[in-house]
Amino acid sequence: MLNIDAIRKQFPSLSLKDKNGNQIIYLDGPGGTQVPNMVIEGISNYYKKCNANTHGEFNTSKETDILMDSLREKASIFLGAENKKCISLGHNMTTLNFSLARGLSKLFRKGDEVIITDLDHEANRGPWRVLKETGVKLIEVRLLQDGGLDYEDFRNKINDKTVMVCMGMSSNALGTLNDFISVKSFLPQNCLFLLDAVHYAPHFSINVKELGCDFLLCSAYKFYGPHVGFLYSKPGLLEQLETDRLVVQDQKAPYIIETGTLNHAACAGVSSAIDFIANIGDGNSSRDKLINAFSKISSHEFALAKQLYESINNLDKVNVIGKDFSDTKRTPTVSFVHSDHTPQEICKALASENICAWDGHFYALKAIQQLGLEERGGVTRLGISIYNTKEEVERVVSVISKL
């Protein structure tokens, strides 16, 4: 079990109170989590001790080289990758995916088909529209009204023209955990498989080798770190692409898709964020500790999210959107609509009690449109993170019940 009191003490932002003395409650985690002291210190110490660009002959530059190399190694362990050469870094997942899409657009041919889904965040939909310029067809998999993908439709849309499938592992808007394992099983040979793990990575361990994916993307600010994106590429794939890059850039993986100078201080924070998670777990290796940590994290978060779902689902004026919590294959995100108030009004009411929550479509615009919720302002989204408690859930439900 997690020692939540000890974990909460590591997050200084959890102590904030409003003018009425209300302790702040963060249920905005799906849009970005709070960061622990060791992440703040990691960033600060970088600026204090080794703030320099890479590949110099002086000590601070060499320290930065060591930091960046170490982060790639840690990220490869975090994702279960073959080695650190599989890990590219960027300002965010969206930027990396745009760069990847442009590179692949020069590889695919007219008449090829790429599959995306109605459930995905626009960061895994919009970048692929560039493929249309070369005659590639974008095929979209339908979203069902229960918040899950139509897997019969998915299977039917895959054929010998399908060159790539791009899907999220979990919905950032609804918390749906997609059946990416089954999708992989019915892909044709040589079909590329890309997974968006942004909303999945904070809650579950990942093993890209077991998943069999060719590319996977995630963002550290969703798992207690700063704004840095990761791109995993299967060995040998990235160097086949003609990515947009400067002639002076290293022409090998993983650097071939990276543009400009990276945020080294933020990268120091990401390294500390991975350490923070690993320190929660038990085991003989870093990988073992991460797997064990996520087992503890997911159990804690699921229990709270189930409590939250069941409590607000019993309220007369609330309709929860998405799947229930009868199965643990669910991320701890609960989205709902209220019969008397818009999502924005709900979030304003929660904010007046110092409770952080999001309203809208969260860039999963197509999903909200398909569910007929765009005109009413989307949904109110509540997300459970490692630092949330049963008492916080009870207080949130109490506020919503009085609206």
Side-chain angles (χ1 to χ4, degrees):
M1 290 180 61
L2 293 174
N3 185 339
I4 299 302
D5 289 339
I7 287 172
R8 285 179 62 86
K9 288 177 181 177
Q10 299 180 58
F11 289 83
S13 60
L14 300 187
S15 64
L16 298 177
K17 294 183 179 182
D18 65 12
K19 61 183 180 181
N20 298 318
N22 292 313
Q23 190 85 25
I24 195 165
I25 296 177
Y26 296 99
L27 292 182
D28 61 334
T33 56
Q34 300 303 300
V35 299
N37 280 317
M38 64 188 300
V39 170
I40 298 169
E41 291 165 0
I43 295 170
S44 177
N45 286 336
Y46 175 79
Y47 281 124
K48 291 176 182 177
K49 298 179 180 179
C50 53
N51 183 22
N53 216 323
T54 54
H55 307 314
E57 295 302 323
F58 47 97
N59 286 340
T60 52
S61 179
K62 291 182 181 295
E63 287 294 321
T64 298
D65 289 336
I66 292 170
L67 161 70
M68 299 304 291
D69 194 57
S70 173
L71 174 57
R72 293 183 202 275
E73 180 67 28
K74 286 184 183 179
S76 70
I77 295 169
F78 183 82
L79 297 178
E82 288 85 351
N83 55 64
K84 63 186 178 184
K85 294 180 181 179
C86 299
I87 306 298
S88 302
L89 304 171
H91 299 296
N92 49 60
M93 173 270 185
T94 305
T95 301
L96 285 167
N97 217 21
F98 266 112
S99 297
L100 185 61
R102 286 192 293 269
L104 286 166
S105 71
K106 301 166 189 174
L107 184 67
F108 296 151
R109 299 178 179 178
K110 183 177 181 180
D112 286 343
E113 295 181 359
V114 170
I115 291 180
I116 59 177
T117 84
D118 285 352
L119 185 55
D120 270 78
H121 189 289
E122 276 300 307
N124 201 27
R125 288 173 49 84
W128 304 110
R129 294 191 180 98
V130 71
L131 299 178
K132 292 183 178 181
E133 298 173 7
T134 56
V136 175
K137 294 182 179 180
L138 281 188
I139 309 297
E140 301 189 33
V141 175
R142 287 196 301 264
L143 172 66
L144 300 174
Q145 290 301 299
D146 69 354
L149 291 171
D150 184 338
Y151 290 99
E152 182 177 357
D153 182 53
F154 213 138
R155 184 184 289 270
N156 290 339
K157 285 177 174 173
I158 293 173
N159 56 55
D160 57 5
K161 295 181 181 179
T162 306
V163 293
M164 188 171 189
V165 169
C166 307
M167 69 180 296
M169 297 178 77
S170 176
S171 166
N172 73 304
L174 306 178
T176 310
L177 193 63
N178 294 327
D179 192 359
F180 41 85
I181 299 297
S182 291
V183 171
K184 171 63 179 176
S185 71
F186 53 70
L187 294 185
Q189 191 175 8
N190 299 323
C191 175
L192 295 174
F193 189 37
L194 177 144
L195 293 171
D196 170 5
V198 171
H199 193 65
Y200 184 95
H203 310 296
F204 305 100
S205 63
I206 295 172
N207 188 321
V208 290
K209 295 193 294 292
E210 290 182 0
L211 292 172
C213 58
D214 299 288
F215 303 102
L216 182 143
L217 300 107
C218 62
S219 297
Y221 77 102
K222 300 298 179 77
F223 54 85
Y224 316 107
H227 286 257
V228 174
F230 294 169
L231 168 65
Y232 160 80
S233 304
K234 187 176 286 186
L237 273 182
L238 203 57
E239 290 173 326
Q240 296 179 29
L241 306 184
E242 188 180 338
T243 56
D244 292 341
R245 62 190 185 276
L246 301 178
V247 67
V248 292
Q249 175 67 308
D250 195 320
Q251 305 297 299
K252 298 178 293 185
Y255 317 104
I256 196 171
I257 201 169
E258 298 176 351
T259 55
T261 302
L262 294 167
N263 187 335
H264 303 138
C267 288
V270 176
S271 181
S272 295
I274 295 174
D275 288 343
F276 164 75
I277 296 172
N279 288 345
I280 293 168
D282 301 311
N284 296 321
S285 68
S286 295
R287 180 66 186 169
D288 290 342
K289 290 178 181 178
L290 285 165
I291 293 171
N292 182 256
F294 275 113
S295 176
K296 295 177 181 178
I297 291 168
S298 60
S299 295
H300 166 73
E301 292 176 335
F302 181 84
L304 290 183
K306 184 176 182 180
Q307 174 193 351
L308 176 62
Y309 170 87
E310 292 176 347
S311 297
I312 65 172
N313 198 43
N314 286 329
L315 300 178
D316 291 338
K317 297 180 180 181
V318 169
N319 179 29
V320 179
I321 306 299
K323 295 183 178 293
D324 62 25
F325 280 77
S326 58
D327 191 327
T328 56
K329 292 181 179 179
R330 181 75 156 77
T331 47
T333 303
V334 180
S335 298
F336 68 93
V337 293
H338 194 285
S339 61
D340 294 348
H341 299 282
T342 66
Q344 185 179 30
E345 290 169 344
I346 295 290
C347 285
K348 283 184 177 180
L350 291 170
S352 70
E353 298 291 331
N354 212 14
I355 298 168
C356 306
W358 286 107
D359 67 277
H361 55 66
F362 325 110
Y363 303 110
L365 178 60
K366 187 63 178 290
I368 296 301
Q369 290 173 334
Q370 292 297 90
L371 294 171
L373 299 172
E374 184 181 18
E375 290 186 2
R376 64 190 302 171
V379 296
T380 301
R381 182 182 67 180
L382 307 174
I384 300 295
S385 300
I386 191 173
Y387 41 68
N388 290 124
T389 67
K390 179 180 179 181
E391 291 74 24
E392 288 181 329
V393 169
E394 290 171 350
R395 185 175 143 206
V396 170
V397 172
S398 176
V399 173
I400 296 172
S401 69
K402 295 173 184 176
L403 299 176

